[in-house]
Amino acid sequence: MMEQQNTTVALEETEIQELVSHMRGELLRPGDADFEQACRVYNAMINKRPALIAHCMDVADVIAAVNFAREHELTLAVRGGGHSGPGLGTCDDGLVIDLSGMKGIRVDPSARTARVEGGCTWGEVDHATHAFGLATPSGFISTTGVGGLTLGGGTGYLSRTLGLTIDNLLGVDMVLADGSFVTASAQEHADLFWAVRGGGGNFGVATSFLFQLHPISTVYGGPMLWPLEQAADVMKFWRDFILNAPEEINGWFAFITVPPAPPFPEQFHLQKMCAIVWCYSGALEQADALFQPIRASVPPTVDFAGPIPWPVLQSLFDALYPPGLQWYWKTDFFKDLSEKAIDLHVKYSAQLPTMHSTMHIYPINGAAHRASTSDTAFSFRDANFSEVIVGVDPDPANNERMIGWARDYWMALHPYSAGGGYINMMMDEGTDNVKAAYRDNYDRLAQIKATYDPSNLFHVNQNITPSR
Ligand SMILES: Cc1cc2nc3c(=O)[nH]c(=O)nc-3n(C[C@H](O)[C@H](O)[C@H](O)COP(=O)(O)OP(=O)(O)OC[C@H]3O[C@@H](n4cnc5c(N)ncnc54)[C@H](O)[C@@H]3O)c2cc1C
């Protein structure tokens, strides 16, 4: 993340009142009743204090706030759902554009599209579209913001079936660094549309997104669990299965500690186990037959898979991961999972440092491979797996231990990786890792950045340096 703007600027009261007069939403400052609450982001490890938080209600508010930040040379952060691991939805001393007041969603059931404002979470989108028996690919936790997840790519339960979230994005309304408003789509500002499909928040504030919807209503999914002693066998089975499975079947692999609560059977509470969390979105009457060979090959110890409404599957783990926990994560893409890599996974899974800490591998083959490495800014279309190693705990006293575990685990596996990670699951790791995430697409991103944001106003993100 590059800090190119001034971070502390003495603002005159008259200047602040000028911004207030241009906004329909509230402008919060230290001392205001709601300010402390508004400073908080999802990851409690992040503790930043902006000078101003602009609670935007519409595009006009966003334009006013962008112009104000640029004219006063303030550090500018943009917050969608606030889920960024490194806290890229906030900043110290500068101005935060908080989009959480922009919640409009309009579903067009005949065109099967949804226009979604920049402050929505995926749970809100699911709620709106499920009423029409429709959905679009998103992630795994319904409280995640549409903004950050989409702009970074979006890997989730439907990646193998319908591609990444960006593969279902038809257009984006944006406020640019100069305060102008544009729509980016295949027809308009096609270069910008290419860049925002994976390039993160580098190019402007996305005030709304237009998504393609699909007839997804009740799917067949949920977790299956096995003891850790079977992890190598389950992982090998899953690798071979998911590389060749019909595209309607998605299933991500996880190492977990079983939460000490229903519906998990008591005898497994707090045991480390491995899991596959399934989502089959094909014909429900064929589901049992499709899952029979899975159940026969590696019979699960606990089996929750069955018919489940899409929004329920999407929010299954929300309660386990409420806002306010400490988070630290590391990521890599993989083309394959070698025997040696599996041995290392088994080794580090036995050391899961806290109950919430976990490791996930999401399959991103199938429909996600229909786009080439250069069709969108998201570069790793030739990878089959996206790995995230996550240290999570309520108690900051455990941070050192869980960060150490995540780093050691990542370092051990990195030599087997495709060479870069998913920008949405990186911490603040510097330019080299951002470049590694974009590979050959980085130079084109830097050129488009130079066109739309030459002074790098939008730099509180996985930053792309504008080319000179
Ligand atoms: C519990 C959890 C589960 C997750 N699961 C998944 C998953 O299944 N799949 C997946 O792909 N990712 C997942 N992620 C990662 C997630 O995609 C990123 O953390 C993402 O950045 C969150 O977006 P946000 O809008 O909530 O975050 P924010 O912190 O608000 O923003 C993150 C970044 O995006 C920018 N941004 C956000 N909204 C806008 C906007 N409207 N216009 C311009 N810039 C914007 C911000 O400036 C910032 O740089 C998960 C994260 C968490 C914490």
Side-chain angles (χ1 to χ4, degrees), residues 42 78 80-84 88 99 139-140 145 148-149 155 204 206 329 422 424 460:
Y42 184 80
V78 179
H83 267 222
S84 160
L88 298 176
L99 298 170
F140 304 94
L149 182 139
T155 58
W329 54 25
Y422 177 33
N424 270 350
V460 182

Side-chain angles (χ1 to χ4, degrees), residues 156-441:
Y157 278 117
L158 296 171
S159 297
R160 295 190 77 250
T161 314
L162 298 166
L164 306 180
T165 303
I166 49 171
D167 300 331
N168 296 274
L169 184 63
L170 301 173
V172 192
D173 282 351
M174 296 186 71
V175 175
L176 303 178
D178 63 2
S180 63
F181 175 83
V182 297
T183 297
S185 68
Q187 291 76 36
E188 297 172 79
H189 299 284
D191 56 344
L192 183 59
F193 189 50
W194 178 87
V196 296
R197 284 177 292 162
N202 273 283
F203 302 93
V205 185
T207 51
S208 76
F209 299 85
L210 183 65
F211 291 107
Q212 185 69 61
L213 303 178
H214 305 270
I216 304 271
S217 186
T218 294
V219 296
Y220 188 99
M224 290 180 185
L225 272 56
W226 294 263
L228 218 47
E229 298 73 51
Q230 282 180 257
D233 289 343
V234 175
M235 212 168 193
K236 283 176 203 169
F237 160 78
W238 171 77
R239 170 197 64 192
D240 297 341
F241 175 81
I242 211 71
L243 286 175
N244 299 296
E247 288 184 357
E248 289 77 19
I249 301 187
N250 294 262
W252 47 277
F253 185 93
F255 289 120
I256 61 160
T257 303
V258 177
F264 296 100
E266 241 180 274
Q267 71 265 35
F268 300 117
H269 285 183
L270 296 176
Q271 273 195 33
K272 295 179 174 61
M273 296 186 88
C274 67
I276 301 174
V277 187
W278 298 102
C279 173
Y280 163 69
S281 57
L284 278 182
E285 57 277 13
Q286 288 172 18
D288 281 327
L290 269 168
F291 277 76
Q292 190 280 330
I294 299 171
R295 293 183 161 114
S297 300
V298 278
T301 307
V302 181
D303 186 349
F304 290 119
I308 183 168
W310 168 252
V312 178
L313 181 63
Q314 279 284 87
S315 53
L316 216 51
F317 303 107
D318 287 9
L320 190 58
Y321 292 107
L325 304 178
Q326 309 284 313
W327 282 72
Y328 181 88
W329 54 25
K330 297 285 290 176
T331 170
D332 258 326
F333 290 113
F334 289 79
K335 290 185 181 170
D336 51 30
L337 277 176
S338 66
E339 306 292 304
K340 181 68 189 148
I342 289 176
D343 286 348
L344 289 165
H345 276 295
V346 170
K347 174 181 166 189
Y348 284 95
S349 65
Q351 301 168 17
L352 282 169
T354 63
M355 197 272 282
H356 292 84
S357 296
T358 184
M359 192 288 302
H360 296 172
I361 307 178
Y362 309 118
I364 48 167
N365 60 333
H369 278 188
R370 285 201 196 110
S372 78
T373 55
S374 60
D375 280 350
T376 62
F378 185 98
S379 151
F380 277 92
R381 299 290 188 160
D382 49 352
N384 288 309
F385 305 108
S386 177
E387 168 202 274
V388 64
I389 299 163
V390 204
V392 192
D393 196 64
D395 186 354
N398 290 322
N399 285 358
E400 200 178 319
R401 199 159 54 87
M402 72 190 196
I403 290 172
W405 167 80
R407 284 187 179 152
D408 290 349
Y409 193 163
W410 181 86
M411 293 270 283
L413 266 299
H414 185 63
Y416 302 90
S417 76
Y422 177 33
I423 63 141
N424 270 350
M425 294 182 178
M426 279 164 51
M427 297 306 281
D428 197 354
E429 298 176 11
T431 307
D432 285 349
N433 279 9
V434 176
K435 285 186 173 168
Y438 291 115
R439 302 191 291 185
D440 291 348
N441 289 341

